[in-house]
Amino acid sequence: MIQETLPSEVMFEQESARLAALYATGILDTPPDSAFDAITRLAAKHFHADAALIGFADETRFWVKSHWGEVLREVPRQGSLFELALAHDAACQIPNLTEWADSHGCWRHVPVRDFASAAIVPVRSQDGLVLGSLTILCRQAGRALSPSELQTLENMAEMASAQVELQRLKRITARQQTRRAEAARKSTANWPRGADLRRALERREFVLHYQPEVDLASRRIVGLEALIRWRHPERGLIPPMDFIPAAEETGMILPIGDWGLAEACSQIRLWREEDPRHASLRVAVNLSARQFLREGLADHVDSLLQQSGTSSRQLGLEMTESSLIPNVHTALEVLAGLHTLGISLSMDDFGTGYSSLSNLHSFPFDVLKIDRSFIGRMTDGDQPLQIVRTIIELARVLNMDVVAEGIETREQYTLLRQMGCRYGQGFLFAKPLPAEDVSQLLRLPGRVLPDPNAAPSYLA
Ligand code: C2E
Ligand code: MG
Ligand code: MG
């Protein structure tokens, strides 16, 4: 669509709702953010544009959050390209910027002077209000995007919207996590100590349970996530969140993690011996920050694979963004080493970390796991649904597989399939189970789990 006019007025009421939504995001006057840079870089590269920018506009300013190809800056809102997107409430194209600017006489101060064509799409709030815009600029005149290209640009603007929303949710999640961590710290009152964990390891009290990951269309088990538990002689089965933090603090996570990796590798071999077709099954092991930043992790994993006669294709490693952040440079090297071995790498709990998009773009992850807090809220309204949709789209653009975590209801299952999410895991299909119980599930014809809409799920 080529826009020829710049409507003169934006309705006052709409504008106040828009500004209220904008201020609620807390996005204005914040420092540069590499997550938005990832989007402008992606847009510029994808469309072979000479510049790309994302900005948000209050009453008077168009505040540039990320400008690929130039420095960040703030420009007067009046007469900016943003106003065009706002007035039309839709994507706009200007194949001949100079001619168009001359005829409207209001573009001189906008940072588009050096360019000959532009395409601009609104960046919206979760309620659909236009908060800002994503623009691509080309030196070549006459450049016009096809409808499908324009749709891709709109998808990228949606990523920016999702990023704004993710940051808002992260602030809420961070506050909740701090409260929970504080409560956990008080309730465990220094238990367990390093010595308790060491004794548990010696007495072989740790055990791995495995939760199936399924192809949502066929319900075939494509993989398993190994989840550690502590079978305590007096306290019963203890979940990981009650001892992993202490294990990290005391350094016991290293020997416990080694045990977990070795145990998973030997279980992979046992399942393959039970049925050679299980060679297509991938078992994912969780790594914590401390394990991840250990010297020579890739060599260590390689030797474990060799000792157990396991193919690297059958092993996956999961890590959260927060474990990568403290030392991004080392993280990049370690990930590259693991990737070279052929191990699949998953970013766990996506959306809860610090700066999702920037890391996702630069790290060699194969799989993105959508945090279960997003799946859990999916049926609460349009907003969370839109976030999940955008994360799925983001994974598609970045050529990654996507796994939805924590699917508990049929409604979530149906919605995820409709949105094109390929894989999932959750109590609806199966809880984490001991290896013997998983062996039974693996014997189901084609490893296909029963339809949860038709039969009871495999609850432990
Ligand atoms: P995670 O890697 O995100 O694992 C998924 C968690 O979600 C598991 O909790 C699983 O039981 C739970 N879950 C799966 N489906 C559903 C569902 O439908 N509804 C609900 N409400 N929950 C579901 P779990 O086993 O308690 O593990 C918690 C976390 O502990 C894991 O989160 C992971 O970060 C960590 N962890 C587990 N095993 C290990 C390990 O061997 N090493 C390390 N370093 N961390 C581990
Ligand atoms: Mg995990
Ligand atoms: Mg997770």
Side-chain angles (χ1 to χ4, degrees):
M1 173 180 41
I2 297 171
Q3 302 295 337
E4 289 298 336
T5 54
L6 179 64
S8 53
E9 250 183 41
V10 178
M11 296 295 290
F12 174 74
E13 276 169 35
Q14 266 179 342
E15 178 63 0
S16 25
R18 193 190 80 72
L19 287 171
L22 177 75
Y23 292 132
T25 65
I27 192 97
L28 290 177
D29 298 308
T30 49
D33 185 333
S34 50
F36 291 94
D37 293 342
I39 302 172
T40 48
R41 190 171 55 225
L42 192 67
K45 291 203 169 142
H46 186 84
F47 294 105
H48 306 289
D50 298 298
L53 63 132
I54 291 173
F56 299 87
D58 62 9
E59 289 94 333
T60 56
R61 303 172 298 164
F62 180 69
W63 188 75
V64 182
K65 184 75 183 159
S66 167
H67 194 166
W68 187 86
E70 272 193 54
V71 288
L72 287 172
R73 68 176 91 185
E74 169 185 317
V75 294
R77 169 180 153 176
Q78 201 189 10
S80 68
L81 282 175
F82 164 78
E83 295 220 301
L84 184 67
L86 177 66
H88 287 280
D89 199 11
C92 308
Q93 295 206 63
I94 310 173
N96 195 328
L97 201 52
T98 320
E99 204 177 276
W100 199 90
D102 284 348
S103 66
H104 291 82
C106 57
W107 298 97
R108 289 302 161 213
H109 57 271
V110 184
V112 297
R113 216 178 271 122
D114 302 333
F115 301 99
S117 57
I120 176 162
V121 290
V123 172
R124 297 176 188 278
S125 71
Q126 298 301 310
D127 299 330
L129 296 161
V130 181
L131 302 180
S133 56
L134 165 65
T135 310
I136 54 168
L137 296 155
C138 296
R139 294 215 167 79
Q140 180 201 344
R143 175 94 202 279
L145 303 184
S146 69
S148 78
E149 282 179 318
L150 212 51
Q151 181 60 53
T152 306
L153 190 64
E154 284 183 316
N155 292 344
M156 290 177 183
E158 256 182 41
M159 285 184 208
S161 309
Q163 186 59 29
V164 173
E165 180 59 10
L166 285 177
Q167 288 181 351
R168 194 182 67 81
L169 288 175
K170 261 184 262 174
R171 283 198 296 273
I172 299 169
T173 316
R175 278 199 295 272
Q176 288 170 343
Q177 275 171 350
T178 315
R179 274 202 296 273
R180 245 182 267 137
E182 185 61 17
R185 199 182 56 74
K186 280 186 189 146
S187 74
T188 53
N190 291 332
W191 188 89
R193 295 172 190 272
D196 301 312
L197 293 164
R198 183 170 300 284
R199 207 172 313 119
L201 194 58
E202 283 162 10
R203 294 180 182 171
R204 301 174 164 273
E205 287 172 5
F206 293 114
V207 59
L208 290 185
H209 282 188
Y210 298 87
Q211 186 179 33
E213 283 179 10
V214 301
D215 181 320
L216 292 179
S218 63
R219 295 184 314 282
R220 175 177 165 81
I221 301 175
V222 290
L224 297 155
E225 177 172 8
L227 295 156
I228 196 167
R229 274 97 182 85
W230 179 357
R231 237 183 337 219
H232 193 278
E234 285 120 40
R235 296 178 188 237
L237 201 64
I238 303 177
M241 290 331 277
D242 291 359
F243 64 89
I244 293 282
E248 281 179 16
E249 224 167 272
T250 57
M252 278 302 291
I253 193 68
L254 294 180
I256 294 174
D258 284 353
W259 169 83
L261 269 169
E263 175 69 15
C265 286
S266 70
Q267 187 60 56
I268 291 173
R269 198 195 55 228
L270 287 176
W271 278 323
R272 209 184 44 234
E273 281 168 6
E274 271 177 30
D275 186 337
R277 283 173 298 185
H278 295 340
S280 65
L281 205 61
R282 193 162 64 201
V283 177
V285 175
N286 291 279
L287 283 191
S288 69
R290 197 140 169 187
Q291 285 170 279
F292 185 67
L293 293 178
R294 178 187 196 171
E295 276 292 304
L297 177 69
D299 292 342
H300 177 64
V301 172
D302 192 25
S303 75
L304 276 176
L305 287 170
Q306 298 204 11
Q307 274 167 35
S308 62
T310 306
S311 154
S312 60
R313 270 179 297 122
Q314 280 203 266
L315 183 67
L317 294 175
E318 295 191 2
M319 51 223 98
T320 58
E321 286 175 277
S322 46
S323 64
L324 308 174
I325 300 295
N327 192 336
V328 171
H329 186 69
T330 315
L332 264 172
E333 275 178 17
V334 177
L335 284 177
L338 293 167
H339 206 247
T340 311
L341 288 179
I343 292 168
S344 121
L345 303 174
S346 303
M347 179 171 271
D348 207 352
D349 303 348
F350 182 75
T352 59
Y354 178 65
S355 58
S356 321
L357 280 174
S358 52
N359 293 325
L360 203 59
H361 197 259
S362 44
F363 292 139
F365 283 106
D366 307 286
V367 181
L368 188 157
K369 299 188 78 168
I370 310 176
D371 189 65
R372 72 181 140 98
S373 60
F374 295 110
I375 307 300
R377 298 174 63 237
M378 216 166 60
T379 43
D380 292 353
D382 280 352
Q383 235 175 320
L385 196 67
Q386 192 55 34
I387 292 180
V388 174
R389 195 191 303 280
T390 309
I391 298 178
I392 294 169
E393 176 61 21
L394 174 71
R396 200 187 58 75
V397 172
L398 296 176
N399 208 12
M400 294 166 73
D401 279 336
V402 60
V403 178
E405 297 186 303
I407 306 175
E408 289 185 352
T409 68
R410 293 163 189 194
E411 203 179 350
Q412 291 162 354
Y413 176 36
T414 309
L415 281 169
L416 285 162
R417 280 176 62 188
Q418 283 168 356
M419 288 193 279
C421 178
R422 179 114 193 249
Y423 304 106
Q425 72 186 88
F427 295 170
L428 183 69
F429 303 107
K431 278 192 167 179
L433 298 165
E436 313 80 77
D437 296 352
V438 173
S439 297
Q440 286 189 23
L441 293 187
L442 295 179
R443 277 183 221 125
L444 289 167
R447 294 205 308 255
V448 173
L449 292 175
D451 185 350
N453 290 321
S457 62
Y458 282 82
L459 299 182

